[in-house]
Amino acid sequence: MKQGKLIIFSAPSGAGKTTIVKHLLTKFPALSFSISATTREARGDEQHEKDYYFISKEDFLHRVARQEFVEFEEVYNGTFYGTLRSEIERIWNAGKHVIFDIDVEGGLRLKRKYEEDALAIFVQPPSLEVLKERLSGRGTDSAEKLRERFIKAEKELNYADKFDVILKNFDLHTACAEAEKLVGEFIGK
Ligand code: 5GP
């Protein structure tokens, strides 16, 4: 297996990283999305094996015990998310670079593990207020889930300067263009 590179997009939920990652996937055929495993339910039109591997908590914990994850986390109370080693290998075996949409702690863990093979980008929203508006506007979470997301988002904003780059997402068009430049330079395209 030839090792490719890793491009990590981390940010609080609602900062726009998923949109930016999706944009980059349309621009760079050399990138492939790391499908995480999670124990949460699928939302809206999310699909198994495309957006996430939706698995049971029991299955998830078995995989933890078998050390199948390069990183995993209980991102929200009782809800686990993780990157399977097999997922990174699948993408590298296909001759591609891996792009991640992952929470802040998971992102930093991958950066520490893969060092200069990884580019860790923190997506910064304009403000906590805007973030809250975006999260509420989704209409996909219960009030309790939303509160949990707000609390986590507030904490995560403090991690920005531990990343290789802070990408401001004040305007989506500009942020996508900057992301293209950063990624293009990193993968040499
Ligand atoms: P959501 O439920 O909104 O899809 O994701 C919640 C948070 O978990 C987001 O910040 C998302 O990026 C993060 N996340 C998704 N996959 C992983 C993963 O494999 N590992 C970690 N640590 N976080 C993840």
Side-chain angles (χ1 to χ4, degrees):
M1 177 184 58
K2 185 179 166 294
Q3 178 167 328
K5 293 184 179 178
L6 303 92
I7 296 139
I8 304 158
F9 277 84
S10 292
S13 197
K17 65 182 182 301
T18 306
T19 313
I20 296 172
V21 167
K22 285 190 173 151
H23 170 77
L24 291 170
L25 284 163
T26 66
K27 288 280 163 185
F28 296 102
L31 298 183
S32 183
F33 180 64
S34 168
I35 304 166
S36 297
T38 182
T39 64
R40 84 152 159 76
E41 301 277 309
R43 277 199 306 247
D45 59 1
E46 285 178 335
Q47 286 172 31
H48 178 59
E49 296 184 348
K50 177 170 172 276
D51 299 286
Y52 280 108
Y53 299 111
F54 293 102
I55 63 176
S56 67
K57 198 178 284 183
E58 193 191 11
D59 186 4
F60 197 102
L61 295 176
H62 275 133
R63 290 170 187 271
V64 170
R66 291 197 298 262
Q67 301 188 336
E68 291 183 23
F69 290 101
V70 279
E71 68 77 36
F72 75 93
E73 219 177 306
E74 187 174 357
V75 173
Y76 300 111
N77 200 6
T79 309
F80 293 84
Y81 294 77
T83 306
L84 292 159
R85 195 181 313 279
S86 58
E87 182 63 8
I88 297 182
E89 286 170 3
R90 174 181 77 78
I91 293 170
W92 282 347
N93 283 335
K96 299 201 174 192
H97 305 296
V98 194
I99 185 164
F100 298 85
D101 170 343
I102 186 174
D103 93 323
V104 166
E105 284 183 41
L108 289 174
R109 210 164 289 143
L110 288 179
K111 175 66 193 180
R112 278 196 296 273
K113 187 173 166 72
Y114 293 99
E115 299 178 331
E116 68 274 10
D117 290 322
L119 176 67
I121 301 173
F122 184 92
V123 182
Q124 190 170 54
S127 67
L128 190 61
E129 282 62 42
V130 171
L131 200 69
K132 285 183 173 177
E133 276 166 29
R134 286 186 192 163
L135 283 176
S136 313
R138 275 183 186 173
T140 48
D141 292 301
S142 66
E144 193 201 328
K145 283 258 156 22
L146 267 179
R147 220 179 74 80
E148 204 180 358
R149 282 178 187 264
F150 293 162
I151 292 168
K152 183 172 158 67
E154 202 161 5
K155 211 171 81 192
E156 286 188 326
L157 287 173
N158 299 321
Y159 285 82
D161 49 9
K162 295 190 191 304
F163 283 75
D164 294 322
V165 188
I166 299 175
L167 176 68
K168 291 194 170 77
N169 183 15
F170 295 6
D171 165 71
L172 191 59
H173 186 74
T174 312
C176 283
E178 277 171 24
E180 263 182 57
K181 191 163 169 276
L182 285 167
V183 170
E185 279 165 10
F186 186 67
I187 64 174
K189 285 267 157 75

